[in-house]
Amino acid sequence: MASPSQKRLQRELKLMQSEPPPGMTVDHEEAMQDLTRWIINVEGAPGTLYEGEHFQLQFKFGSRYPFDSPQVMFTGQNIPIHPHVYSNGHICLSILTDDWSPALSVQAVCLSIVSMLSSCKEKKRPLDNTFYIKTCHKNPKKTKWWYHDDEV
Amino acid sequence: MATSSGSEPGPSREGEENKEKDERMFECNICLDTARDAVVSMCGHLFCWPCLHQWLDTRPNRQVCPVCKAVISKDKVIPLYGRGSGKQEDPRNKVPPRPPGHRTEPENTNGFPGFGFGDGGFQMSFGIGAFPFSFFTSSFNFGEPRPNPAPVGTPQFGEEQFLSRVFLYIACVFILWLLLA
Ligand SMILES: [Zn+2]
Ligand SMILES: [Zn+2]
């Protein structure tokens, strides 16, 4: 008696295993224990500033997923240094809030994050990093993001 | 390049893959399951009606297609009726019934319009009733091109209003007369 959102998550988990985005692997065991919290291991893509680095993404799904966007942030020891990634792991990416659509998926979000990292030309934190991490809510979705322009 | 090595997927596996692809073709873009109570948007994207309805309710002031962001609305989706769609599983009482399909009847080609009794008779009398109006206006204007309507408030405007009202009455009387005769 899985709810519609659980059913979809199970399908997505299967897809993430059979067709994972390049350089990404989902921690299947952890996801099986709690379908609403996934950890995805990310490898810095070869030929980019992040080559050889390892990151972890955390996805949290609410009961209204996929109508509501998942909560996505970097977690773990190594947070990528990127103009749209705060040092607490929060990511400034419009599809995670305003531009979310239920036709998007974990895969689509992952691909977006990979391309965000890959297009980076200079490793630096967002300008307002110090202020933001002092004042922000724990949940990045509670942030009223002011989206940076797309040039990185 | 297809080679004849032994590791090539056999026909049975290929068939299975195709079948899976076929099934994905009819998956709802929201729940990723086979679309039930399927509807398709004007931009061509397939959804379950309950799924799409819930999405439209989620953002009532920004109703866009989840896939391509085209503007969509509840009354501009087309329901799909497959052969096996007779019974509906789990019809949620919260969700309104799917909007009906829009059918355009082929145009009726037999008979002259307006030359019968009943509906046609009414059309005919209206046509005749309107005649004196155009006759009078053209005779007042003496062949000049019809000028723009007079500005509101001028005596001419009042006159025109009065005249058109008179002709409307005449038309009505004419229609009545035709109906009663
Ligand atoms: Zn659906
Ligand atoms: Zn669309």
Side-chain angles (χ1 to χ4, degrees), chain B residues 125-141 146 156-176:
Chain B
S125 59
F126 196 80
I128 294 172
F131 175 69
F133 181 77
S134 52
F135 174 71
F136 269 100
T137 46
S138 58
S139 58
F140 276 128
N141 290 329
R146 183 158 163 70
Q156 201 195 345
F157 175 81
E159 236 168 72
E160 274 184 14
Q161 288 278 300
F162 174 67
L163 271 178
S164 59
R165 211 164 288 156
V166 166
F167 291 132
L168 189 70
Y169 284 139
I170 292 173
C172 287
V173 168
F174 206 80
I175 290 164
L176 260 179

Side-chain angles (χ1 to χ4, degrees), chain A residues 101-112:
Chain A
S101 135
L104 290 170
S105 59
V106 176
Q107 252 177 325
V109 170
C110 283
L111 283 172
S112 230

Side-chain angles (χ1 to χ4, degrees), chain A residues 16 20-27 38-46 48 50-59 72-76 78-80 85 91 106-107 109-118:
Chain A
M16 273 299 281
M24 295 196 162
T25 43
V26 61
D27 188 331
W38 298 15
I39 295 292
I40 290 168
N41 295 301
V42 185
E43 260 173 57
T48 69
Y50 304 95
E51 183 169 351
E53 288 189 69
H54 291 269
F55 311 108
Q56 278 195 328
L57 276 172
Q58 176 190 265
F59 277 69
V72 184
M73 57 189 277
F74 281 102
T75 179
N78 194 23
I79 307 289
V85 180
I91 308 164
V106 176
Q107 252 177 325
V109 170
C110 283
L111 283 172
S112 230
I113 290 173
V114 164
S115 94
M116 181 188 88
L117 290 179
S118 299

Side-chain angles (χ1 to χ4, degrees), chain B residues 63-118:
Chain B
Q63 302 198 325
V64 294
C65 171
V67 182
C68 70
K69 308 271 155 106
V71 174
I72 50 176
S73 71
K74 281 177 193 174
D75 41 277
K76 280 206 177 143
V77 296
I78 298 158
L80 293 181
Y81 305 116
R83 231 168 70 82
S85 64
K87 67 169 169 41
Q88 289 179 358
E89 299 161 6
D90 177 29
R92 302 176 175 201
N93 6 359
K94 223 193 100 196
V95 171
R98 263 190 297 183
H102 296 281
R103 292 198 68 247
T104 312
E105 290 288 343
E107 262 178 44
N108 198 358
T109 46
N110 52 8
F112 295 101
F115 274 87
F117 280 99

Side-chain angles (χ1 to χ4, degrees), chain A residues 74-137:
Chain A
F74 281 102
T75 179
Q77 297 305 310
N78 194 23
I79 307 289
I81 298 175
H82 184 282
H84 295 179
V85 180
Y86 290 89
S87 54
N88 61 356
H90 288 194
I91 308 164
C92 179
L93 186 65
S94 66
I95 59 163
L96 296 180
T97 48
D98 292 7
D99 290 338
W100 170 255
S101 135
L104 290 170
S105 59
V106 176
Q107 252 177 325
V109 170
C110 283
L111 283 172
S112 230
I113 290 173
V114 164
S115 94
M116 181 188 88
L117 290 179
S118 299
S119 60
C120 179
K121 292 187 195 80
E122 192 196 344
K123 273 191 182 182
K124 58 176 183 194
R125 291 274 180 229
L127 290 176
D128 55 339
N129 187 60
T130 326
F131 178 73
Y132 176 77
I133 58 169
K134 268 189 212 146
T135 53
C136 70
H137 194 276

